[in-house]
Amino acid sequence: MADGSGGALTRPKYLELADSLRADVLSGLDFHEAIPTERELQKTYGVSRATVRRALARLIDEGVLYSVRGSGTYLADPSLIRKDLRLTSFSQDMSQRGHTPDSTPLGCDIVAAPERLAEQLSIAVGSQIVRLHRLRLADGAPMALEIAHLPLDVLGGRLPDPHASLDQHLIECGHRAESAYQSIRAVNLTAEEAGHLLQPVGAAALRVARLAFDGRGRPVEQTETTYRADRYGFDLTVIRTPKDHLS
């Protein structure tokens, strides 16, 4: 391919290295086995440390690898969807990892906001909110149960398409979620939840509560999502500040 000046466009070295790692290194590893260190890869492939790091970052973004701070980088299990700290929707998470997202609606209606939700969404008790309950799928397989609550006015006064991306609907209405407070806790599936997720009753799951805010700081979405623990994981990076010390 010409670049307009008579030469050929060269592919970035980090992308070539990422491809080489897939073919030469990763194909011989078991899931969750550590890959060689950055220094070892630099020596093996004769590239800079920066090139190695960009190649690894690319593979981590694609869900091929995952990194554990202070430990190393490992080959990911493709059946496990890993989520990092970026604010992304379920549809984005699945699409970025090569899966096809979909939803099975379990209910979509307008209800009066109870006190707890009204406080979280900074609206008056009894205000109209949309309640969207759906089963989230990846490649047709059940991944999570989601219950979302949004003020009716942020959705333009109409119900969203329960099959489509709720995040995209918010963007179209001028209320893109720019930040969120999120909490994660371990739970055991109830009989109803287990039936939807095709899991045994009492199976382990991760319940994620998220309160999302638009660019003006207005709460626009309160969502509780229950993920199958055998198909979904969260990666967190933690750091020690200068004031921290061992007790």
Side-chain angles (χ1 to χ4, degrees), residues 36-236:
T37 65
E38 291 182 1
R39 189 180 297 277
E40 290 171 336
L41 293 175
Q42 183 182 359
K43 182 178 180 180
T44 299
Y45 290 94
V47 295
S48 69
R49 192 72 169 267
T51 297
V52 171
R53 288 179 174 175
R54 290 192 69 185
L56 295 181
R58 175 70 174 230
L59 294 172
I60 289 172
D61 283 344
E62 294 177 0
V64 177
L65 301 174
Y66 67 95
S67 179
V68 178
R69 189 178 182 87
S71 177
T73 303
Y74 301 83
L75 181 64
D77 182 343
S79 69
L80 180 66
I81 307 300
R82 307 193 71 85
K83 167 71 175 170
D84 59 24
L85 289 179
R86 292 173 297 175
L87 180 57
T88 54
S89 68
F90 177 88
S91 296
Q92 288 174 313
D93 284 343
M94 297 303 108
S95 297
Q96 289 173 2
R97 289 158 177 77
H99 301 281
T100 301
D102 199 0
S103 300
T104 297
L106 301 175
C108 184
D109 52 5
I110 297 173
V111 298
E115 184 175 356
R116 180 182 65 85
L117 282 172
E119 181 179 356
Q120 289 181 308
L121 295 171
S122 296
I123 57 178
V125 174
S127 296
Q128 289 186 313
I129 60 173
V130 171
R131 179 178 58 192
L132 175 59
H133 186 199
R134 53 188 179 172
L135 176 66
R136 308 309 304 270
L137 310 169
D139 300 328
M143 182 71 69
L145 280 169
E146 175 186 276
I147 302 178
H149 297 92
L150 307 92
L152 183 61
D153 66 307
V154 306
L155 296 175
R158 59 191 176 90
L159 292 175
D161 179 353
H163 292 281
S165 168
L166 193 54
D167 191 57
Q168 185 60 39
H169 193 137
L170 283 169
I171 292 173
E172 293 170 356
C173 293
H175 292 282
R176 177 188 176 121
E178 298 288 356
S179 63
Y181 170 76
Q182 188 164 282
S183 66
I184 307 168
R185 61 189 178 94
V187 298
N188 297 105
L189 295 176
T190 65
E192 180 180 357
E193 293 168 338
H196 286 303
L197 294 172
L198 303 183
Q199 292 285 282
V201 176
L206 295 173
R207 184 157 296 157
V208 181
R210 173 188 285 187
L211 181 61
F213 304 83
D214 66 13
R216 294 179 292 277
R218 176 182 177 179
V220 293
E221 178 188 351
Q222 189 280 340
T223 304
E224 187 171 271
T225 308
T226 303
Y227 294 93
R228 286 176 49 165
D230 66 330
R231 294 293 311 278
Y232 208 88
F234 282 82
D235 292 329
L236 306 176

Side-chain angles (χ1 to χ4, degrees), residues 1-9:
M1 183 184 210
D3 62 3
S5 61
L9 288 175

